[in-house]
Amino acid sequence: DNFVNAFTELLCQSQVFVREVNSGERSVVSMRDISRAARVFKWFLTYYSKLRGVASIGVSSDKDAAMRIAITAEMQPHLRSAVILTLGYCYHSRLTRDQRW
């Protein structure tokens, strides 16, 4: 539950930042970005953890497309990396070349 709250806050702040650097334009971010971030996060967590040797990845989706994550002690160190990679992948391209640095 703490992880979900933190991830939600990071997504919200990322959208606020992208709007700010684009002169308050609301259309530069959308709910599609949230959906994309969830899919990208699942991918990064699954494959990054596998690359790091985690044997069992507890990530699944139910019939309503709600993501379920069974966070194991073995997988926990990879959550931060997956979140950072997800935010970068989803929002970095929204910045101009000058804003990226």
Side-chain angles (χ1 to χ4, degrees), residues 6-32:
F7 190 43
T8 301
E9 183 62 24
L10 287 168
L11 285 169
C12 289
Q13 289 303 314
S14 296
Q15 289 198 341
V16 167
F17 178 76
V18 170
R19 281 186 186 121
E20 285 176 2
V21 298
N22 285 284
S23 304
E25 178 62 41
R26 296 184 57 108
S27 64
V28 296
V29 292
S30 68
M31 287 302 293
R32 286 186 303 251

Side-chain angles (χ1 to χ4, degrees), residues 32-90:
R32 286 186 303 251
D33 296 326
I34 303 300
S35 176
R36 181 182 310 112
R39 288 190 314 272
V40 169
F41 172 76
K42 180 180 176 182
W43 189 89
F44 274 126
L45 184 61
T46 300
Y47 290 100
Y48 188 80
S49 295
K50 283 182 182 178
L51 285 173
R52 299 292 183 221
V54 176
S56 175
I57 312 294
V59 179
S60 63
S61 297
D62 63 16
K63 65 179 179 176
D64 298 325
M67 189 184 332
R68 305 278 182 232
I69 304 171
I71 300 171
T72 64
E74 188 180 26
M75 194 169 65
Q76 195 164 6
H78 308 301
L79 287 173
R80 180 180 299 175
S81 297
V83 168
I84 292 168
L85 290 168
T86 297
L87 294 174
Y89 180 85
C90 291

